[in-house]
Amino acid sequence: MCTPWIQTVSLEPPSLRDNTADTDRLQHALSLRLNTNRVHIDLDLIRRLPEVLRQSSYRIRCILWKRRQQWFLLEVSAAEDQHIAAGLAVDLGTTRVVLRLLDLATGRTLAESAFDNPQEKIGPDILTRIHFAEKENGLRELNELIVSGLNLAIAQLCASQHLEPQQIYVLAVAGNTTMTHLFMNLSPRWVIREPYIPVVNTPEDVKADDLGLQVHPRARVLIFPNIGSYFGGDLIAGILSSGIHQNAQTGILVDVGTNAEVVLGNEHWLIGCAGAAGPALEGGVTRMGMTAAPGVIDQISLKTGTPEFKIHTIDDLPPKGICGSGVIDLAARLFQSGMIDIRGKLVPAVCGPKIKMIDGMLHLVVVPAEHSATGSDLTISQADLDSLIRSKAAMYTILETITDSVGITPQNLDIFYVAGTFGSLIDPQSAIAIGMLPDLPLERYKPLGNSSLSGAALALQSDSYHDQIDRIRERITYLELNVNQDFMNRLSAAKFLPHTNTRLFPSVKVINK
Amino acid sequence: MCTPWIQTVSLEPPSLRDNTADTDRLQHALSLRLNTNRVHIDLDLIRRLPEVLRQSSYRIRCILWKRRQQWFLLEVSAAEDQHIAAGLAVDLGTTRVVLRLLDLATGRTLAESAFDNPQEKIGPDILTRIHFAEKENGLRELNELIVSGLNLAIAQLCASQHLEPQQIYVLAVAGNTTMTHLFMNLSPRWVIREPYIPVVNTPEDVKADDLGLQVHPRARVLIFPNIGSYFGGDLIAGILSSGIHQNAQTGILVDVGTNAEVVLGNEHWLIGCAGAAGPALEGGVTRMGMTAAPGVIDQISLKTGTPEFKIHTIDDLPPKGICGSGVIDLAARLFQSGMIDIRGKLVPAVCGPKIKMIDGMLHLVVVPAEHSATGSDLTISQADLDSLIRSKAAMYTILETITDSVGITPQNLDIFYVAGTFGSLIDPQSAIAIGMLPDLPLERYKPLGNSSLSGAALALQSDSYHDQIDRIRERITYLELNVNQDFMNRLSAAKFLPHTNTRLFPSVKVINK
């Protein structure tokens, strides 16, 4: 596939019969080619046109960009120029920032890289950063942290491909509302204060230079719009990438990152909600286990017919901890083997010698010290399990609430996208076993990977995706998660394994009650 | 009359029911008010919005600009803000630069000023400057000269009105093609080389900051488009100001500045030509006499029934010289009284004691030493008169050529606009008497004043004038003045007073032949 961004244009050289100015000549040719009224050309590029046109004998390669019906000419060179024109998709996460470098001509991925958001130095969570931004020079510092972090990562990523950062002509950036604000050097002060007002929801493209980004000086930056303070451009990018906004069937998209965000819909309607709106999720899903990394347990099963764990670690290294998907696998196995009861409480009689009492709290040894990479037992405590139960109950309650708001149930979903690393690693069967995700046929579960990054990359392929972004934003309804009695009743019912109402989970075999 | 640039807007304050972002809220209100899709807001203004909106309780004054269907928000402040928002019209002349400061709210003129184009230091004429621009750093120096000259003049003009230059939000600049190029820091190299190609004919608005202008950092600069290398935006501004492009009657506009430029037309068609295209005009009209200034003779008549001059000087000061309109008056009187013959030659027998021989050439004393401000005789030489004859013949020949190109004669013109200081000072009756201008009823002659400046000022009143500018540019046909045998025949016939064909000048009484 080819993008429309690189065009080779042959101009009729000027003559006494046709002494149209250089810029107007080029604009006329491009307007015909692109079927538009006018192509914007920055003054500094106009200054270089006479030389480039004459040196190339009026056969030139144009690097273009289109945004909301307006075309922009970003660079011209001789038609023979083979230099790569690159685009950069950015997933601007609170914790982690991921970059994908693309060939603008083809949309092909050249390379990816990631780095920890340097704002973590100020605070790991959004709230701390927002408060810091209100201090003198606080906003500036946060902005400089992310911009210089990006510049460093861009330089390294380009170097790995033998490109200059000046070869990046367009960027598409998807982040949550606060990250987007800090990136644009906009105060997030009112994002967290009633009635929760962002500075901007639908930013226009900005010149990279105006943001301090060290790429091509005329590069444009598309910043994904947000719906509101708690529903950001990253999720719009995720929706774009999933395609649920264009499906006839009703689907759901769950993105478990720093927050848990959920979007439900089809080609006719979209409804979204974010976990941060409900206190029940706080400290829940997101803190479960450690980040997926080499040596971390991501899968656990039971040796057939025994209560012995069979563990799998990332890259098959000695185990050093357990990540979210591993914890969910573990809980499913513990429940299936009766080592925890329907309330998630450890059952010492079943666990046997795996049980240890540490600091007055029951712990289950998952990997004994002699097999772990740390030299200590890898354990899960009753508190960890309680936390998991709260998280899974919150997740299921949100799914019930959002589906109920449109008169369906989680069991009616035709397709279930799980985004993020979590989505790539999680075993849906385990999540179903503990009642975290609904009991759907497994083929309806689709891992999406980093859907924010993929959505950002799509925005660099064609402006038809820009129209989709705007339409997603306009169509989506934000569901405020009111933690009312109804919600609390649902939450209570979901705090059992797999659920108080076991008819909702017909595939889950409950061994003991 | 009021312009649409200043609007007071009351926004519904945000609430939990309506937590639209600040920028989107304002954009929505402005879009409704202005009946547009989207109002562009620069990022640095977006950064200030949350504070301004909250401090003003969401009642704000907006300073706006519209260009080619696109609205721009340039500044916001509390609705009560009474600070003047100013616009600046600029006539960017090769010799003289004239500024008019306007109140953007009303279009009312606040003040005017003028200064000599500092590029004269490099060379008085366009060609010298173009050659200088090709030297190393030459273009930059020329650009800096005009930009710093403008900045100084702007600062002084604003100070005279107790305004800050930062209160200027929009500028409209009309100049010839080369002056426009130097102002935009564009190379004029190809303007003078066959096939005479400007870098740009129809520039988009530029941010004042990108041009180095010290006004409001978000100020926009509208630069008048040009038709080609020898037909600049100053003349388009002149046409706009004259209104001939909208008249049912056919009119002509003559602008005698550094070049003589002529536009003929009506609401259906426009045709233009410029004096620089014909060598006959070179060193002609433009060098005649000195610049109008206090003490300069601008009118001359004859004391009834005598060959004695009755002179008028600007500001009624003792005479120190004679300007173009004075020379034309003088020639008319000399011809009417028989002191020069139909070839423009001094007739010693009639001139009597007024004649002096200086350096072997006949001179006529206009003001004897004892009455002049200089203490010397003010004289006009036979060479001066010969030059005037060539100039007037060239002017009339151009008028004949351009009217003939559309099948009419100068005598068919319904309205005759004469622009510039020349147009304000010239007595059409004298110009007719020597056959420089056609023998039309005097009421058809209309002085326009600085029509480039007035046209630039109109562009600051409403974007309906911008549409007119674009339409004028698209509609106008450029008539190349081919100095062929036909032209030379006409020129020869026009070298007599008033003309070889006296039937063309029925109102002119010829005393001796």
Side-chain angles (χ1 to χ4, degrees):
Chain A
M1 98 154 241
C2 268
T3 70
W5 310 137
I6 317 289
Q7 304 261 349
T8 302
V9 180
S10 288
L11 302 178
E12 192 67 33
S15 66
L16 281 174
R17 295 275 135 242
D18 173 15
N19 58 0
T20 306
D22 290 330
T23 306
D24 302 65
R25 180 176 302 272
L26 176 55
Q27 269 175 337
H28 182 69
L30 286 173
S31 299
L32 282 180
R33 170 77 64 91
L34 304 168
N35 192 24
T36 184
N37 278 333
R38 198 176 176 88
V39 176
H40 173 88
I41 311 179
D42 285 352
L43 183 58
D44 56 341
L45 181 54
I46 288 178
R47 288 188 179 127
R48 286 187 43 240
L49 270 190
E51 204 184 329
V52 175
L53 290 181
R54 283 165 186 76
Q55 285 182 352
S56 65
S57 305
Y58 296 87
R59 281 196 66 245
I60 50 170
R61 183 176 85 149
C62 297
I63 301 176
L64 295 146
W65 178 239
K66 187 183 182 190
R67 191 74 165 114
R68 297 200 171 101
Q69 307 312 316
Q70 168 75 56
W71 283 91
F72 300 86
L73 178 64
L74 303 177
E75 189 58 289
V76 288
S77 53
E80 298 71 32
D81 185 7
Q82 295 291 325
H83 272 76
I84 284 179
L88 186 76
V90 180
D91 168 28
L92 197 68
T94 306
T95 308
R96 193 105 176 124
V97 179
V98 192
L99 310 180
R100 181 181 293 173
L101 193 68
L102 307 167
D103 183 337
L104 267 192
T106 60
R108 188 173 58 91
T109 297
L110 297 171
E112 284 192 17
S113 72
F115 63 98
D116 289 337
N117 189 326
Q119 293 169 345
E120 290 213 298
K121 172 183 137 183
I122 304 300
D125 61 301
I126 291 182
L127 213 57
T128 311
R129 296 186 205 172
I130 293 179
H131 288 307
F132 185 84
E134 295 177 37
K135 294 187 187 170
E136 198 180 332
N137 293 323
L139 175 58
R140 201 175 67 190
E141 186 174 338
L142 282 161
N143 175 257
E144 283 171 0
L145 279 171
I146 185 61
V147 169
S148 58
L150 279 166
N151 284 333
L152 183 64
I154 289 169
Q156 290 169 344
L157 184 61
C158 286
S160 78
Q161 299 302 303
H162 309 290
L163 298 182
E164 297 295 325
Q166 282 68 32
Q167 288 175 256
I168 296 178
Y169 290 90
V170 198
L171 295 91
V173 178
N176 66 48
T177 305
T178 299
M179 288 309 110
T180 301
H181 274 55
L182 298 178
F183 171 61
M184 295 175 78
N185 206 359
L186 299 174
S187 166
R189 177 178 167 83
W190 302 102
V191 161
I192 50 162
R193 287 178 169 80
E194 208 180 303
Y196 314 113
I197 308 297
V199 179
V200 61
N201 278 334
T202 55
E204 293 181 61
D205 283 8
V206 182
K207 281 199 197 183
D209 204 41
D210 291 339
L211 294 170
L213 294 173
Q214 288 155 10
V215 290
H216 191 280
R218 283 186 292 278
R220 297 310 203 260
V221 185
L222 179 155
I223 297 160
F224 272 73
N226 53 63
I227 314 285
S229 287
Y230 291 113
F231 203 93
D234 49 351
L235 200 49
I236 293 191
I239 296 168
L240 180 69
S241 156
S242 74
I244 61 169
H245 61 295
Q246 294 186 314
N247 287 346
Q249 297 182 308
T250 299
I252 201 160
L253 165 62
V254 173
D255 191 349
V256 183
T258 306
N259 289 324
E261 289 156 337
V262 178
V263 178
L264 175 70
N266 55 37
E267 60 187 341
H268 300 298
W269 51 267
L270 289 168
I271 184 162
C273 65
L281 258 193
E282 275 170 30
V285 175
T286 59
R287 284 207 207 142
M288 198 170 51
M290 60 195 293
T291 307
V296 168
I297 300 170
D298 61 345
Q299 291 171 29
I300 299 182
S301 52
L302 287 175
K303 290 180 184 160
T304 321
T306 76
E308 293 309 307
F309 300 128
K310 200 170 127 189
I311 66 163
H312 178 266
T313 62
I314 295 173
D315 293 352
D316 292 316
L317 294 172
K320 62 176 188 184
I322 185 164
C323 72
S325 62
V327 173
I328 291 167
D329 267 9
L330 176 62
R333 305 304 162 240
L334 293 179
F335 181 53
Q336 284 163 348
S337 61
M339 286 190 266
I340 56 175
D341 64 15
I342 60 168
R343 296 167 306 142
K345 298 299 180 191
L346 287 161
V347 182
V350 183
C351 297
K354 286 195 168 65
I355 282 280
K356 276 195 180 173
M357 184 70 80
I358 304 171
D359 295 336
M361 185 181 283
L362 285 179
H363 282 66
L364 181 90
V365 178
V366 182
V367 180
E370 63 266 32
H371 294 129
S372 86
T374 61
S376 310
D377 289 342
L378 299 184
T379 65
I380 186 162
S381 71
Q382 184 61 56
D384 293 334
L385 288 166
D386 292 347
S387 170
L388 174 66
I389 298 291
R390 280 197 302 276
S391 293
K392 80 97 187 173
M395 172 60 83
Y396 191 78
T397 304
I398 289 174
L399 296 177
E400 267 195 327
T401 304
I402 194 169
T403 48
D404 186 60
S405 77
V406 292
I408 62 173
T409 71
Q411 286 67 38
N412 297 131
L413 297 169
D414 296 310
I415 191 152
F416 199 116
Y417 293 108
V418 195
T421 315
F422 180 79
S424 311
L425 296 176
I426 196 176
D427 176 358
Q429 204 162 13
S430 298
I432 293 168
I434 62 167
M436 185 178 205
L437 295 182
D439 195 0
L440 298 172
L442 293 181
E443 65 272 15
R444 295 198 194 165
Y445 281 97
K446 310 274 183 200
L448 268 189
N450 187 334
S451 58
S452 303
L453 185 67
S454 303
L458 283 179
L460 298 175
Q461 309 264 347
S462 148
D463 78 305
S464 67
Y465 290 110
H466 306 175
D467 295 340
Q468 291 185 41
I469 291 167
D470 289 341
R471 279 204 307 275
I472 290 169
R473 208 202 85 82
E474 286 155 15
R475 276 174 47 201
I476 203 163
T477 311
Y478 183 65
L479 177 70
E480 194 76 41
L481 281 182
N482 290 312
V483 183
N484 52 21
Q485 193 53 49
D486 202 36
F487 186 92
M488 293 311 290
N489 290 346
R490 282 198 176 111
L491 188 66
S492 298
K495 276 186 180 163
F496 290 83
L497 293 175
H499 195 273
T500 313
N501 182 358
T502 52
R503 276 175 304 168
L504 295 174
F505 291 85
S507 82
V508 180
K509 268 197 283 186
V510 179
I511 290 179
N512 60 351
K513 292 208 182 194
Chain B
M1 101 156 237
C2 267
T3 71
W5 311 136
I6 317 289
Q7 304 260 351
T8 302
V9 180
S10 289
L11 303 178
E12 191 67 32
S15 66
L16 281 174
R17 294 275 137 241
D18 172 16
N19 58 0
T20 306
D22 290 330
T23 306
D24 302 65
R25 178 176 303 272
L26 177 55
Q27 270 175 336
H28 182 68
L30 286 174
S31 299
L32 283 181
R33 169 79 63 94
L34 304 167
N35 192 23
T36 185
N37 278 332
R38 196 175 178 87
V39 176
H40 175 87
I41 311 179
D42 285 351
L43 184 58
D44 55 343
L45 181 53
I46 288 178
R47 289 189 178 125
R48 286 186 43 238
L49 270 189
E51 204 185 328
V52 175
L53 290 182
R54 283 165 185 77
Q55 285 183 352
S56 65
S57 305
Y58 297 87
R59 282 198 64 245
I60 51 168
R61 184 175 84 148
C62 297
I63 301 176
L64 295 146
W65 178 238
K66 186 184 182 188
R67 192 71 167 118
R68 298 202 170 98
Q69 309 311 317
Q70 168 75 59
W71 282 92
F72 299 86
L73 178 64
L74 303 176
E75 189 58 288
V76 288
S77 53
E80 298 71 31
D81 185 7
Q82 295 290 326
H83 272 74
I84 284 179
L88 186 76
V90 181
D91 169 29
L92 197 68
T94 306
T95 309
R96 192 101 176 128
V97 179
V98 192
L99 309 180
R100 181 182 293 172
L101 192 68
L102 307 166
D103 183 338
L104 267 193
T106 60
R108 188 173 59 91
T109 297
L110 298 171
E112 283 192 17
S113 73
F115 63 99
D116 289 338
N117 189 325
Q119 294 169 345
E120 290 213 299
K121 170 182 139 185
I122 305 299
D125 61 301
I126 290 181
L127 213 57
T128 311
R129 296 187 206 171
I130 293 179
H131 288 307
F132 185 84
E134 295 178 37
K135 295 185 186 171
E136 199 180 329
N137 293 324
L139 175 59
R140 202 177 65 190
E141 186 175 336
L142 283 161
N143 174 257
E144 283 172 1
L145 279 170
I146 186 61
V147 170
S148 58
L150 280 167
N151 283 334
L152 183 65
I154 288 169
Q156 290 169 345
L157 184 61
C158 286
S160 78
Q161 300 302 305
H162 309 289
L163 298 181
E164 296 295 325
Q166 282 67 35
Q167 287 176 258
I168 297 178
Y169 290 90
V170 198
L171 295 91
V173 179
N176 65 49
T177 305
T178 300
M179 288 310 109
T180 301
H181 274 54
L182 297 178
F183 171 62
M184 295 175 77
N185 205 0
L186 299 175
S187 167
R189 177 179 168 81
W190 302 103
V191 161
I192 50 162
R193 287 179 169 79
E194 209 179 299
Y196 314 112
I197 308 297
V199 179
V200 62
N201 278 333
T202 55
E204 294 180 60
D205 283 7
V206 182
K207 281 199 199 183
D209 203 41
D210 291 340
L211 294 169
L213 294 173
Q214 288 154 10
V215 291
H216 191 279
R218 283 186 293 277
R220 296 312 202 258
V221 185
L222 179 154
I223 297 161
F224 273 73
N226 52 64
I227 314 287
S229 286
Y230 291 113
F231 204 92
D234 48 352
L235 200 49
I236 293 190
I239 296 168
L240 180 69
S241 157
S242 74
I244 61 168
H245 62 295
Q246 294 186 316
N247 287 347
Q249 298 182 308
T250 298
I252 201 162
L253 165 63
V254 173
D255 191 350
V256 183
T258 306
N259 289 323
E261 289 156 339
V262 177
V263 178
L264 175 69
N266 55 37
E267 60 188 340
H268 300 299
W269 50 267
L270 289 169
I271 185 163
C273 64
L281 259 192
E282 274 171 29
V285 176
T286 59
R287 285 208 207 141
M288 200 169 51
M290 60 194 293
T291 307
V296 169
I297 300 170
D298 61 343
Q299 291 171 29
I300 298 182
S301 50
L302 287 175
K303 289 182 185 156
T304 321
T306 76
E308 293 308 307
F309 300 129
K310 200 170 129 190
I311 66 163
H312 178 266
T313 63
I314 295 173
D315 292 352
D316 293 314
L317 294 172
K320 62 178 189 184
I322 185 164
C323 71
S325 62
V327 173
I328 291 168
D329 268 9
L330 176 62
R333 305 303 162 239
L334 293 179
F335 181 53
Q336 284 163 350
S337 61
M339 286 190 266
I340 56 175
D341 63 17
I342 60 169
R343 296 167 307 143
K345 298 298 179 191
L346 287 162
V347 181
V350 183
C351 297
K354 288 195 166 65
I355 283 278
K356 277 195 178 171
M357 184 71 79
I358 303 171
D359 295 336
M361 185 183 280
L362 285 178
H363 281 66
L364 182 92
V365 178
V366 182
V367 180
E370 63 266 32
H371 294 130
S372 86
T374 61
S376 311
D377 289 341
L378 298 184
T379 65
I380 187 162
S381 72
Q382 184 59 57
D384 292 335
L385 288 165
D386 293 347
S387 170
L388 174 66
I389 299 291
R390 281 197 302 276
S391 293
K392 81 98 186 172
M395 173 59 85
Y396 191 77
T397 304
I398 290 175
L399 296 177
E400 267 195 326
T401 305
I402 195 169
T403 49
D404 186 61
S405 76
V406 292
I408 63 172
T409 71
Q411 286 67 37
N412 298 132
L413 296 168
D414 295 311
I415 191 152
F416 199 115
Y417 291 108
V418 195
T421 314
F422 181 79
S424 311
L425 295 176
I426 197 176
D427 176 358
Q429 202 160 15
S430 299
I432 293 169
I434 63 166
M436 185 179 204
L437 296 182
D439 195 0
L440 298 171
L442 293 181
E443 65 273 16
R444 295 198 194 166
Y445 281 97
K446 310 275 182 199
L448 268 190
N450 187 335
S451 58
S452 302
L453 185 68
S454 302
L458 283 179
L460 299 175
Q461 309 264 349
S462 148
D463 79 304
S464 68
Y465 290 109
H466 306 174
D467 295 340
Q468 291 185 40
I469 291 167
D470 288 341
R471 279 205 306 275
I472 290 169
R473 208 202 86 83
E474 286 156 15
R475 277 173 48 199
I476 202 163
T477 310
Y478 183 65
L479 177 69
E480 195 75 43
L481 280 182
N482 289 312
V483 183
N484 52 22
Q485 193 53 49
D486 202 38
F487 186 91
M488 292 312 289
N489 290 346
R490 281 199 175 111
L491 188 65
S492 299
K495 277 187 178 161
F496 290 82
L497 294 175
H499 195 272
T500 312
N501 182 358
T502 52
R503 277 175 304 170
L504 295 175
F505 290 85
S507 82
V508 180
K509 266 197 284 185
V510 180
I511 290 178
N512 60 352
K513 293 211 181 191

